[in-house]
């Protein structure tokens, strides 16, 4: 791989890693927002079935995530990348032929498995091309590629779904993912598999999968992601019910811009004053945004909700992740990160399913009010549990 002592951050391999990750998340977020519309309008499914499609994807991703690091360690990053991205692209292709709910649900379950492995292996690969003195900056830019996917994915999907078919959109998104895969072959990778007899004989324990000191904040992250599932999985069908579907792409643009705009400020505030100075106002704004969303009937209200939710969720989520790392021993940071995202993904999976049932039975307004209340409960949980925990 590249020389880690080089001070050049924007080297060829780093840029290729960012491009591949961007195309991956464009596909992911575009499909996440248009699948409910496709399921309800084209396949004759219900909102609860739309939620199930998201839950199956997340359930398989969650089940595999704790084992992803072990798989990568065994076969090496190069093989893990090529195999996982090949399978991910193949399953992207199958959406074009998913003309019934049963087949679509099977595809979603299988796709979650390879998404989990692929997103896990992408991190150590890009990390290898970031200079040692610029790790924080480099990984920050890597996360920006995910944020751009949050903007561009829904914007592309929701704009095109009004003018063309799901099949045509899936074909276009498949092209994006394949292009990212082609970039991977231009990255100088080494296969660093570890196959020592000592490792093969080592017995696994619960500590190989969970960092217990990160559990309190991981549980809180699960509450927050449960509420975020109401945006991620149902904002497109909600917008359609309010005759605002043409503004759904703009919703995500406002959401992402507001989410990214305050990150430099909240990061400095976190370092100087502590996490509570970020968490309390962020979650209050997130709750307000959900309440606004539960009552809106106009474009202005829709955009206001996007603004509050973007600032609130966008400030709280990275703050909580940082807490999970700081509360854990340095040699367990990888396990802390895995624990955090396992619970975070679990919240999205459960939220997509439960909120789909609530929306089907009681409507969108009730679902968003419930989420606003849960955010307030998470704030109480933070005050009495997370904020009382000592840093490792």
């Amino acid at each position: 791989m590249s020389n880690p002592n080089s001070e050049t951050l924007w080297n060829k391999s780093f840029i290729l890693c960012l491009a591949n990750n961007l195309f991956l998340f464009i596909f992911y977020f575009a499909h996440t927002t248009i699948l409910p519309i496709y399921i309800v309008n084209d396949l004759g499914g219900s909102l609860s079935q739309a939620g199930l499609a998201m839950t199956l994807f997340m359930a398989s991703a969650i089940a595999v995530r704790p084992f992803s690091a072990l798989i990568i360690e065994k076969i090496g990053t190069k093989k893990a990348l090529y195999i996982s991205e090949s399978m991910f692209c193949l399953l992207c292709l199958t959406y074009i032929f998913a003309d019934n709910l049963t087949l679509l649900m099977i595809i979603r379950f299988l796709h979650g498995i390879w998404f989990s492995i692929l997103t896990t292996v992408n991190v150590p690969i890009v990390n290898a091309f970031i200079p040692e003195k610029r790790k924080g900056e480099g990984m920050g830019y890597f996360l920006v590629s995910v944020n751009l996917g949050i903007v561009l994915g829904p914007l592309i999907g929701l704009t095109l779904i009004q003018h063309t078919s799901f099949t045509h959109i899936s074909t276009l998104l498949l092209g994006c993912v394949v292009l990212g895969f082609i970039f991977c072959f231009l990255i100088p990778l080494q296969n660093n598999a570890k196959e020592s007899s000592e490792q093969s004989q080592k017995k696994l324990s619960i500590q190989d999968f969970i960092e217990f000191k990160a559990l309190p904040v991981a549980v809180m992250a699960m509450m927050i992601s449960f509420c975020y599932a109401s945006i991620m999985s149902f904002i497109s069908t909600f917008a359609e019910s309010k005759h605002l579907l043409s503004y759904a792409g703009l919703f995500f643009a406002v959401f992402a811009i507001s989410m990214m705009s305050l990150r430099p400020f909240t990061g400095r505030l976190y370092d100087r004053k502590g996490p509570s100075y970020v968490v309390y106002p962020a979650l209050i704004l997130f709750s307000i945004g959900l309440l606004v969303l539960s009552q809106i009937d106009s474009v202005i209200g829709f955009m206001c909700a996007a603004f509050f939710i973007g600032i609130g969720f966008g400030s709280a989520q990275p703050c909580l992740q940082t807490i999970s790392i700081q509360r854990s021993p340095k040699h367990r940071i990888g396990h802390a990160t895995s624990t955090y995202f396992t619970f975070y993904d679990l919240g999205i999976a459960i939220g997509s399913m439960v909120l789909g049932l609530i929306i089907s039975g009681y409507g969108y307004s009730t679902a968003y009010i419930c989420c606003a209340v849960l955010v307030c409960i998470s704030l109480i949980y933070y005050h009495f549990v997370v904020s009382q925990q000592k840093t490792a």
Side-chain angles (χ1 to χ4, degrees), residues 121 167 351:
V121 74
T167 301

Side-chain angles (χ1 to χ4, degrees), residues 45 68 85-86 92 98 106-107 110 113 119 127 134 139 145 150 159 166 180 189 192 199 239 285 308 331:
S68 297
E85 187 124 23
S86 296
C92 290
I106 293 172
I107 292 170
L110 295 175
I113 294 173
T119 51
N127 187 67
R134 302 182 71 178
M139 290 308 297
S145 69
I150 293 175
T159 300
F166 175 82
L189 298 173
N192 52 349
Q199 283 184 327
L285 289 173
F308 284 121
H331 69 283

Side-chain angles (χ1 to χ4, degrees), residues 38-174:
Y38 177 62
I39 289 172
V40 174
N41 292 350
D42 294 11
L43 300 184
S46 63
L47 284 172
S48 60
Q49 288 172 320
L52 177 61
M54 185 64 191
T55 300
L56 286 173
F57 184 97
M58 298 306 303
S60 60
I62 292 166
V64 172
R65 190 179 292 278
F67 300 95
S68 297
L70 297 176
I71 294 171
I72 295 165
E73 185 178 25
K74 185 67 176 177
I75 69 175
T77 54
K78 184 176 182 178
K79 285 185 178 179
L81 175 65
Y82 289 168
I83 293 172
S84 61
E85 187 124 23
S86 296
M87 292 303 300
F88 188 85
C89 289
L90 181 62
L91 286 162
C92 290
L93 173 64
T94 59
Y95 283 98
I96 298 172
F97 308 101
D99 57 358
N100 63 80
L101 280 170
T102 301
L103 178 58
L104 183 61
M105 296 300 176
I106 293 172
I107 292 170
R108 293 294 290 172
F109 181 81
L110 295 175
H111 216 177
I113 294 173
W114 296 105
F115 176 81
S116 178
I117 299 174
L118 179 56
T119 51
T120 301
V121 74
N122 277 343
V123 175
I125 287 176
V126 72
N127 187 67
F129 298 106
I130 301 174
E132 288 298 329
K133 294 182 179 180
R134 302 182 71 178
K135 291 293 185 185
E137 182 184 0
M139 290 308 297
Y141 283 119
F142 185 70
L143 292 176
V144 166
S145 69
V146 179
N147 293 333
L148 286 174
I150 293 175
V151 179
L152 296 177
L155 185 61
I156 292 171
L158 293 171
T159 300
L160 293 179
I161 198 68
Q162 300 173 67
H163 306 288
T164 187
S165 67
F166 175 82
T167 301
H168 290 155
I169 299 173
S170 295
T171 304
L172 174 65
L173 294 173
L174 171 64

Side-chain angles (χ1 to χ4, degrees), residues 196-260:
S196 67
S197 58
E198 181 181 348
Q199 283 184 327
S200 62
Q201 294 175 4
K202 180 184 175 181
K203 292 184 178 180
L204 298 177
S205 65
I206 190 66
Q207 284 78 16
D208 291 308
F209 306 106
I210 294 177
E211 171 51 52
F212 287 98
K213 290 188 177 181
L215 270 180
V217 71
V219 171
M220 182 174 176
M222 183 171 66
M223 297 182 195
I224 300 303
S225 64
F226 179 101
C227 301
Y228 180 57
S230 67
I231 306 300
M232 194 174 181
S233 297
F234 298 109
I235 197 65
S236 57
T237 53
F238 169 75
E240 188 176 42
S241 72
K242 297 289 185 178
H243 307 291
L244 296 171
L245 184 58
S246 60
Y247 296 98
L250 182 59
F251 176 94
F252 280 100
V254 173
F255 170 83
I257 291 171
S258 61
M259 177 176 65
M260 290 186 287

